[in-house]
Amino acid sequence: MSFSIYEVAVRITLEELELHRIVVSKTYASDALNYHGAEFRQVAPLNVDAVAELQGGEIRIRGHLETLLEASCDRCLGMVDLPVAWDFDLFYRPLSSIAREEEIKIPTDELDVGFYSGNGLELADVVTEQVILSVPMKVICRAECQGLCPVCGTNRNLEKCQCPSPQGASPFASLKKD
Ligand SMILES: [Zn+2]
Ligand SMILES: [Zn+2]
């Protein structure tokens, strides 16, 4: 029996980084990563290539990941494919470094700084966070999506309903009906 590449967790440790940088290529099956209830699904394997090295006391991880996500359109709730091709260049500081500072001030140009605890971090955690970041704030199936009718729920991309236009649809509209 050979190990499935899907099963092997990749831990990036200080001990190893002190000897050499870590170059890793890994594939995560569509159900291998836990996105903690995010409103999308990973529907294809995820491929990641990354290089980790120690730089000025921080762990720097650079790389590229690709996968396919599926999410529902914010307007019509239809399923939308979200191909992901995402570059990242991240710095992780030891969590213990926070305790030595009176307050945490992270300048806005250092938003890509994260923290690690113990002797390193899991590649899966890095990848999971980057996938979540790659998802747009608003998911729209297409720019001209008409969405659902706020009154009757009809998908207005598929059929027209007889409800008044949104401007006329006040919260009290139903009270005035005959
Ligand atoms: Zn839509
Ligand atoms: Zn309607």
Side-chain angles (χ1 to χ4, degrees), residues 42-54:
Q42 181 191 327
V43 292
L46 182 152
N47 297 307
V48 58
D49 297 297
V51 179
E53 60 197 321
L54 276 183

Side-chain angles (χ1 to χ4, degrees), residues 149-154 156 161-164:
C149 170
V151 179
C152 72
T154 293
R156 294 184 295 198
C161 60
Q162 300 306 313
C163 301

